Amino acid sequence: MDDTEPVLELVKFERLSNLVWGRADVGRFGKFDDRLYYSNINNPGYFDEDGRQNQFAFRSFDMRFGHVFSEQFTVGVESNRRSLIIIPNIDYSSSNTVFLNARNIPELSTEFLLKPGWSEIPNFALNENFLISAWEKPWYSENPNQRENVFILELNARENGMGENGQVIDRNEPVINKISIDYQIEGFSMEDLISVFPFEDGWIASANIAGLQPSFFIEKNGNVSPLFNDLRRFVIFGLQTSESGELFVSNEGGFYYSPSGSPFTLNQIATANVDLRFRLIGDRIIVWVGMDKLYELKNYRDTSEISLVELENSGLEGLLIKDVELFQEKFYVSTNGGLFLKDQEDFWTEKELSSDPTLDIGWEFVR
């Protein structure tokens, strides 16, 4: 009798080849209801519940910004950096697209340009019909150091009224109110946003202000609360809340966890020497650092049992991972070389010959 263990066939990530776009550099995801939205180097788009791809037919986005997604809208930045482009998700129709710029934003100089963030992390964000963004005057301007650079816009959103459920922005009067950010350090206002994420009734944002790079909770009314009283450098690269209300945050130097869900009580559970990204799927956490490797963070609620294991990445070798999301029982992985898929049950397979995360990405647990 042959009592040797059967050799399991290695399941690889498969590249989705029938893509509409001309270039295969895919960015971040946004999942809402029965759609998976994606940011592409040419245009945003989405996959529906049947796996069909839909893409916005417009090629004037500045992809240093990527796109941000909400339940109602997709937002990008025009290639000349003079406009935020807001697309209603109901039909992806250019007839309902709104360009926000100096012509319809109150008291905005025509010289102002949108200011890029860091490392493809969006530095503008929607929360319902409120949008926060950072602008700058070009270096050749007469007064390039003008400080009113970061502000909130209350958008004039209304129901479509054309038989489809969903909102559009009033094209004749897109902005109801421009809200100033009510915060200064030593007389200096926020110069720009490095990264920003919707959170409760506002945003969690990292910003440049008075030569510092702290993080804040910014409310829709413009009120600001620092996450740390000492205004330490804390640049956020990822933020997500679990179904039970826990808060997870990654930054330049590690991974943080708040069981209560408060951004003011973040506990560091790991350090790293690279910029961490992560995705919370149910109660499981996927971690990656830009290269072609994926990890699962296990037992993160118990510091005595916490561990990081490498997942099987065959098919992704040599690529730069941008984002990961579970949609219709398949894992989608966006990379600089295209979009890759793997069935849910196969995704969590641990790699047999895995590398030591301590050596590979400088990962160490804070016990």
Side-chain angles (χ1 to χ4, degrees):
M1 294 180 62
D2 185 2
D3 58 357
T4 58
E5 292 288 332
V7 178
L8 298 178
E9 182 179 355
L10 183 64
V11 179
K12 296 184 177 181
F13 282 92
E14 293 186 3
R15 191 176 191 271
L16 188 61
S17 57
N18 59 334
L19 300 180
V20 176
W21 53 70
R23 294 177 63 183
D25 194 338
V26 191
R28 61 196 300 270
F29 293 128
K31 186 170 68 172
F32 298 94
D33 297 326
D34 57 356
R35 291 182 179 182
L36 177 67
Y37 294 88
Y38 62 82
S39 177
N40 172 247
I41 198 166
N42 286 331
N43 285 300
Y46 68 87
F47 292 91
D48 63 22
E49 57 185 339
D50 296 318
R52 292 173 299 201
Q53 182 191 5
N54 299 267
Q55 183 162 307
F56 187 70
F58 184 80
R59 294 178 179 269
S60 296
F61 291 100
D62 188 326
M63 292 312 301
R64 289 174 295 176
F65 294 84
H67 301 94
V68 299
F69 310 102
S70 71
E71 187 174 357
Q72 299 291 343
F73 302 103
T74 295
V75 186
V77 175
E78 194 174 15
S79 56
N80 60 18
R81 289 202 290 140
R82 295 190 181 278
S83 300
L84 281 163
I85 307 172
I86 304 182
I87 310 164
N89 291 341
I90 51 170
D91 57 4
Y92 255 40
S93 169
S94 58
S95 64
N96 287 318
T97 299
V98 171
F99 289 71
L100 287 180
N101 50 42
R103 290 175 297 178
N104 47 36
I105 296 177
E107 301 175 357
L108 183 68
S109 167
T110 56
E111 294 182 292
F112 265 88
L113 307 175
L114 283 143
K115 195 163 188 176
W118 291 4
S119 304
E120 297 186 355
I121 304 171
N123 65 332
F124 58 99
L126 277 168
N127 190 328
E128 296 180 328
N129 65 317
F130 288 79
L131 187 149
I132 188 169
S133 56
W135 300 70
E136 66 178 346
K137 280 194 172 183
W139 61 269
Y140 53 81
S141 170
E142 293 183 2
N143 183 20
N145 296 318
Q146 184 171 335
R147 293 298 180 186
E148 288 290 330
N149 295 355
V150 181
F151 50 81
I152 300 165
L153 299 177
E154 182 182 2
L155 303 178
N156 191 6
R158 57 176 174 79
E159 292 301 314
N160 178 37
M162 299 295 291
E164 292 184 87
N165 292 325
Q167 293 183 340
V168 296
I169 302 297
D170 189 304
R171 300 187 72 182
N172 296 320
E173 189 180 356
V175 178
I176 297 175
N177 192 18
K178 181 183 177 185
I179 302 165
S180 299
I181 303 296
D182 185 22
Y183 187 81
Q184 290 187 340
I185 297 177
E186 298 178 354
F188 291 95
S189 302
M190 290 184 184
E191 298 173 26
D192 62 72
L193 298 172
I194 301 170
S195 63
V196 59
F197 303 87
F199 182 79
E200 295 182 350
D201 197 35
W203 301 269
I204 300 293
S206 303
N208 279 313
I209 178 170
L212 306 172
Q213 292 83 38
S215 288
F216 308 90
F217 174 53
I218 303 175
E219 300 175 57
K220 291 177 181 176
N221 61 9
N223 290 338
V224 176
S225 301
L227 297 194
F228 303 98
N229 292 330
D230 58 6
L231 296 175
R232 71 189 70 170
R233 179 186 173 100
F234 196 84
V235 178
I236 297 175
F237 287 152
L239 182 147
Q240 200 170 350
T241 302
S242 72
E243 294 178 357
S244 59
E246 303 159 297
L247 179 64
F248 301 87
V249 170
S250 66
N251 76 340
E252 293 174 293
F255 195 75
Y256 294 77
Y257 172 52
S258 172
S260 69
S262 170
F264 303 104
T265 58
L266 292 171
N267 300 313
Q268 188 171 21
I269 60 176
T271 62
N273 59 12
V274 288
D275 302 336
L276 291 174
R277 308 294 207 278
F278 73 96
R279 175 71 69 179
L280 180 65
I281 304 292
D283 62 352
R284 304 180 76 166
I285 295 177
I286 305 162
V287 178
W288 66 95
V289 294
M291 60 180 73
D292 57 5
K293 295 183 178 182
L294 292 165
Y295 303 87
E296 181 183 0
L297 180 62
K298 293 191 170 186
N299 304 316
Y300 51 83
R301 295 184 179 93
D302 185 350
T303 56
S304 65
E305 298 292 334
I306 194 169
S307 64
L308 190 71
V309 298
E310 187 177 359
L311 301 177
E312 181 56 55
N313 70 329
S314 297
L316 297 177
E317 295 93 341
L319 296 171
L320 181 68
I321 294 174
K322 304 288 191 68
D323 206 352
V324 180
E325 185 58 277
L326 176 64
F327 181 67
Q328 298 296 325
E329 299 183 350
K330 288 185 179 291
F331 272 94
Y332 286 66
V333 178
S334 62
T335 76
N336 63 331
L339 191 61
F340 291 78
L341 279 71
K342 184 184 275 193
D343 288 339
Q344 180 177 357
E345 60 268 22
D346 296 319
F347 178 85
W348 301 106
T349 303
E350 296 181 18
K351 196 166 187 175
E352 286 191 15
L353 300 176
S354 62
S355 58
D356 182 356
T358 303
L359 301 175
D360 201 27
I361 60 176
W363 180 283
E364 293 185 12
F365 294 109
V366 179
R367 301 189 187 276

